[in-house]
Amino acid sequence: MELLTIGAFSRASRLSPKALRLYDSLGLLAPAHVDEVSGYRFYRPDQLERARLVAWLRRLGMPLARIRVVCDLAAGAPDRAAAQISAYWAETEAELTSRRALATHLINYLSGEDTMPGANPALTIRYAARSDIGRHRDRNQDTAYASGRLLAVADGMGAGGSLASAAVIEALKPLETALPAGDLLNAMEDAVRRADPVLRDLAATDPGTGTTLTAMLWSGSQLALVHVGDTRAYLLRDGDLFQITHDHSVVQALLDEGKITPEEADSHPQRSLLLRAMDGETVTEPDVSLHDAQAGDRYLLCSDGLTAVVGAGVIRDALSAPGDPEQAAGELIGLANEAGGPDNVACVVADVIEPPALAAG
């Protein structure tokens, strides 16, 4: 088989020689032959299909680590490769929605058009919060909380875990009655950090104490999201389920780098290890984002006591079933316990609805 020079391969694949050298160094697209004297790279014509797939995925904005996973799957399991692309695009759309909402907020704020969030709410929420000890724990360290303004789930760890998870949610509660105007994200971030001294004191008494946190503050048409750790937030919209948080865990980092597959992640021995949590040792650096709400949306906040044993498809089906948030939360708790209930589990379910007067009109 006649080999293609890097120049010819570049023109055929529409990848620059510089990109091809980078992909070689990353093990993503290795040349078929490298001249020992000149170091010149040569490629087989049948490598063009992989190269073009790489080029298309880069146009989507997919990180190189995930591209490698997709390309490796495409050779022997194209259906799984397609599923990877579908999952990535769902995440991208969810992130784009969040960024669009934030951009709108900033434009309005800087244009002087921003008003007190929630002053004239066009939408409202129905909500429920449930927490359960599970079947194999002797105490419950998960805290779930829901009100007309604040939704939160925290998963405590260590000897003082239950106190830690409760403390971080308590730090957010003042926002329920003093909702900030035009500054939801900063207010959420500041409130989370106000819990750091309390967590520091708890950890001093019981080393290893800490907590995760996923919380949302409702403004009447938007939800400000704050997130640390591996508790999660999901959005069910038009029958599709989107995970709108990103786990701060060792396993998620390995997935992002393409070092393990989603199937390997499910049984990875380090899946409970966190890269980021609220432990009082360092200043908390949460992820924050702003989300536009639509009537008919259903949000789920949950601890890993649910997601570690119940798959995303089953969660989607449970959230899509008829019933109010209380029924949905109860069903999810039941599913976690039916799957063995190895951990505490906490769920908050909230439906975005039109106020009764608007709905009647």
Side-chain angles (χ1 to χ4, degrees):
M1 178 184 297
E2 184 176 352
L3 298 180
L4 300 174
T5 65
I6 190 171
F9 193 80
S10 172
R11 290 189 294 274
S13 64
R14 298 194 175 183
L15 291 170
S16 70
K18 181 179 179 180
L20 289 171
R21 287 190 288 269
L22 172 63
Y23 300 159
D24 177 21
S25 68
L26 296 174
L28 180 60
L29 187 60
H33 174 70
V34 179
D35 188 271
E36 294 181 0
V37 177
S38 66
Y40 213 61
R41 293 167 170 82
F42 296 87
Y43 295 82
R44 298 189 313 273
D46 61 9
Q47 289 182 283
L48 280 171
E49 183 175 358
R50 183 181 177 102
R52 287 167 178 155
L53 180 57
V54 170
W56 291 330
L57 293 174
R58 286 299 286 162
R59 289 184 66 186
L60 286 180
M62 183 178 286
L64 292 175
R66 294 188 72 164
I67 288 177
R68 182 170 59 188
V69 173
V70 172
C71 288
D72 290 346
L73 288 173
D79 55 332
R80 291 174 58 195
Q84 285 283 326
I85 297 172
S86 179
Y88 168 74
W89 193 245
E91 294 168 16
T92 300
E93 288 187 320
E95 173 65 18
L96 181 59
T97 298
S98 172
R99 291 170 63 188
R100 183 184 296 113
L102 178 57
T104 300
H105 165 75
L106 292 173
I107 291 167
N108 291 340
Y109 175 73
L110 294 172
S111 302
E113 299 174 4
D114 207 10
T115 58
M116 172 71 78
N120 297 294
L123 299 169
T124 188
I125 55 172
R126 269 186 324 200
Y127 50 85
R130 292 279 301 273
S131 180
D132 190 85
I133 194 171
R135 293 187 173 178
H136 296 279
R137 300 288 190 181
D138 57 7
R139 55 183 172 168
N140 190 358
Q141 296 185 308
D142 284 7
T143 300
Y145 178 81
S147 71
R149 291 291 191 197
L150 179 64
L151 313 170
V153 164
D155 181 356
M157 63 195 80
S162 59
L163 296 175
S165 64
V168 69
I169 291 178
E170 284 298 321
L172 295 175
K173 288 184 180 179
L175 297 177
E176 294 179 290
T177 53
L179 197 63
D183 205 16
L184 286 174
L185 297 181
N186 286 339
M188 287 283 276
E189 193 168 357
D190 291 345
V192 167
R193 287 177 177 159
R194 282 196 291 271
D196 283 342
V198 178
L199 296 173
R200 190 176 304 116
D201 292 342
L202 291 172
T205 303
D206 294 303
T209 291
T211 186
T212 67
L213 173 69
T214 300
M216 303 187 88
L217 186 65
W218 174 246
S219 74
S221 60
Q222 294 178 320
L223 285 156
L225 171 65
V226 63
H227 168 68
V228 184
D230 63 354
T231 40
R232 292 180 179 178
Y234 290 90
L235 165 63
L236 181 74
R237 176 175 286 173
D238 298 328
D240 293 322
L241 185 68
F242 304 96
Q243 181 180 334
I244 56 175
T245 52
H246 195 73
D247 291 352
H248 302 138
S249 67
V250 169
V251 164
Q252 185 61 57
L254 293 173
L255 278 169
D256 292 343
E257 294 168 5
K259 293 182 177 178
I260 61 173
T261 66
E263 292 75 19
E264 291 170 331
D266 291 339
S267 58
H268 197 280
Q270 294 181 315
R271 64 179 180 174
S272 62
L273 293 183
L274 298 178
L275 296 176
R276 206 189 308 177
M278 299 183 65
D279 55 13
E281 294 184 6
T282 58
V283 175
T284 299
E285 296 291 345
D287 293 343
V288 293
S289 55
L290 197 63
H291 299 260
D292 278 331
Q294 297 180 13
D297 286 349
R298 171 167 278 189
Y299 286 89
L300 166 67
L301 279 59
C302 62
S303 65
D304 66 341
L306 174 67
T307 55
V309 294
V310 180
V314 177
I315 291 174
R316 181 195 62 231
D317 292 344
L319 291 173
S320 300
D324 61 21
E326 186 69 38
Q327 291 171 298
E331 175 65 16
L332 292 168
I333 296 283
L335 288 168
N337 284 327
E338 288 173 12
D343 199 357
N344 309 147
V345 57
C347 295
V348 170
V349 178
D351 290 344
V352 180
I353 60 173
E354 294 182 346
L358 292 177

